[in-house]
Amino acid sequence: MPDLARTREVAGDSYWSPILAAAERATGGEPCRVCAEPISAKAHWSFRDRHVCSDRCNSTLKRRTKTRIGRGEIDLASIPGMGTRAAAKEEQRARFGQERQPSVFRTRAADADFPYEFYGLGPIPGDVVERHGSITTYATATSVGADWLVDLVRANSEDDVEPILAIHEQTGALLAYTGRTLWWTSVPGQEHPLVQQQSFQGDDGRRWVWQNELIRDVDQNGTTYDWEAWVCVAERIPPLWTPAYTARSEKQRRSTRARNSYQARMRGYGVLNADATQVDPQDIYERDQWTCQVCRKAINPAVEWPDPWSATLDHIKPVSLAGEHVPENLQAAHWVCNIRKGDAWGPGEAHTKAGVRGTF
């Protein structure tokens, strides 16, 4: 697994979905790809996309696939969408590294919209990362005379790999890494040169921990990327999403929910796996200037469902008549107006301009 002949790209989904998604979403009764039990029609859409019956089988499928990728049995470049992702990462790496000078990344004020400064995919030699008063600096192993460490890494990895050392200013603790691979640590009181000890007590009696800090953001093109940095801190920092990434995720969640709702309604009319564009309802509301296209009165953005005057997406050509889920066939409407309109066609800008007026 996966069957590459049946793999398809799932727009807007996470890393695993383009790798694991089957050619068609399961509608109920299909055999699970892991245990062969029938898949429920009420299973989560991601399970039905991957043709698995449960969270347990979903985790098993991912674990098996990860093992196969590690063995080289699955070529990610051959999977729709993955080559594009790889190219995007290389483009990001080149752009973030262009004329990059060492910088200091600090903890921001408590009232800032995001707690930490960062830039790009991770620290470069010469960078300084300060987190709540704890300071970590970065240097190449060669620059500090750790040639034995360079030999160790190159003997077990690529010939030209250069390990980076993270150096904790308060304790003198060291950590060597390449990419996401941790190779070696040196902390106060540690004698063995190859121990990977991530938690330790400093000479001042404080407890410290090496942590791979993870911050998720989107670049200027809207492509996701992660900042990762080995930092020494007194308390672990949870993975963080920037406001930009959070907004993008919310936008994706809204558009996916709207698409899934449309496809569920189409299944009620006997149309399985109906095509549907990822459309964010907020984009339609803003395009229509928060004006109900049925009654032509203003919609208050602060009013939320189930208030009858909350905003909803209305299909100009009704779903019951196979109206498409595309921007041109969508308009803003009060929930109550949408209900009153029912299965009538229109009104809407697309049809008014074409000389077609709906009646209801």
Side-chain angles (χ1 to χ4, degrees):
M1 301 176 190
D3 178 359
L4 298 185
R6 289 171 52 78
T7 298
R8 63 189 170 90
E9 182 176 6
V10 181
D13 273 342
S14 62
Y15 172 88
W16 285 107
S17 291
I19 301 174
L20 300 179
E24 299 289 346
R25 176 175 291 176
T27 56
E30 294 87 345
C32 172
R33 297 162 76 179
V34 175
C35 70
E37 290 294 317
I39 301 168
S40 170
K42 296 182 179 180
H44 190 274
W45 63 266
S46 65
F47 296 170
R48 290 187 285 118
D49 257 355
R50 300 169 187 180
H51 284 215
V52 293
C53 66
S54 64
D55 184 63
R56 180 178 180 179
C57 288
N58 185 47
S59 297
T60 299
L61 179 64
K62 289 197 293 185
R63 185 174 64 254
R64 291 176 180 175
T65 303
K66 185 176 181 179
T67 299
R68 292 191 62 195
I69 292 173
R71 291 174 179 169
E73 297 175 9
I74 295 176
D75 179 13
L76 295 182
S78 67
I79 298 174
M82 298 309 294
T84 302
R85 287 168 183 250
K89 283 186 177 294
E90 288 304 315
E91 188 274 334
Q92 286 175 337
R93 196 177 304 279
R95 178 159 47 80
F96 283 132
Q98 187 175 17
E99 297 182 0
R100 167 88 152 82
Q101 298 298 318
S103 303
V104 178
F105 301 106
R106 302 184 185 278
T107 301
R108 292 179 170 139
D111 59 352
D113 64 347
F114 192 74
Y116 307 119
E117 294 178 345
F118 68 98
Y119 177 80
L121 306 180
I124 63 171
D127 277 351
V128 177
V129 175
E130 178 272 322
R131 296 299 184 242
H132 303 288
S134 181
I135 298 174
T136 307
T137 61
Y138 302 84
T140 63
T142 302
S143 69
V144 298
D147 294 336
W148 67 271
L149 183 55
V150 177
D151 294 340
L152 168 70
V153 172
R154 292 183 177 177
N156 293 277
S157 187
E158 299 177 28
D159 292 340
D160 59 349
V161 170
E162 174 70 28
I164 301 295
L165 280 182
I167 307 167
H168 187 221
E169 183 175 282
Q170 277 86 342
T171 64
L174 306 177
L175 179 145
Y177 68 95
T178 55
R180 295 185 175 182
T181 303
L182 170 61
W183 288 93
W184 166 80
T185 62
S186 174
V187 300
Q190 176 179 297
E191 296 181 358
H192 195 286
L194 295 179
V195 172
Q196 295 182 0
Q197 184 175 337
Q198 292 178 243
S199 178
F200 64 95
Q201 184 172 317
D203 293 336
D204 58 359
R206 296 184 67 185
R207 198 73 190 170
W208 299 94
V209 60
W210 283 109
Q211 177 193 351
N212 193 19
E213 174 182 272
L214 175 64
I215 297 174
R216 184 153 293 173
D217 197 8
V218 293
D219 64 16
Q220 61 189 20
N221 300 319
T223 303
T224 300
Y225 72 94
D226 294 339
W227 154 279
E228 293 187 73
W230 281 102
V231 294
C232 196
V233 291
E235 295 184 11
R236 290 187 178 275
I237 300 170
L240 297 170
W241 291 1
T242 66
Y245 183 83
T246 299
R248 207 283 298 272
S249 296
E250 286 296 310
K251 184 180 183 73
Q252 181 176 306
R253 181 187 61 80
R254 291 191 300 265
S255 61
T256 298
R257 185 169 61 183
R259 181 197 65 187
N260 291 347
S261 175
Y262 169 80
Q263 290 178 325
R265 292 178 64 189
M266 290 298 286
R267 285 197 296 273
Y269 292 112
V271 180
L272 303 181
N273 302 310
D275 289 335
T277 303
Q278 290 273 122
V279 181
D280 181 5
Q282 293 287 335
D283 290 343
I284 302 300
Y285 303 154
E286 291 173 7
R287 182 202 67 188
D288 292 345
Q289 301 179 335
W290 289 91
T291 300
C292 176
Q293 300 300 298
V294 178
C295 72
R296 299 297 176 176
K297 294 181 179 179
I299 300 172
N300 184 351
V303 174
E304 299 181 354
W305 187 88
D307 191 295
W309 299 104
S310 60
T312 61
L313 279 183
D314 173 49
H315 291 80
I316 299 170
K317 179 181 179 181
V319 175
S320 60
L321 300 178
E324 295 181 307
H325 190 73
V326 294
E328 297 76 16
N329 193 49
L330 293 169
Q331 61 185 6
H334 292 117
W335 182 36
V336 66
C337 294
N338 200 340
I339 293 174
R340 289 171 179 168
K341 172 176 171 283
D343 290 338
W345 185 322
E349 289 296 322
H351 295 284
T352 300
K353 290 179 181 179
V356 180
R357 291 188 175 274
T359 58
F360 55 97

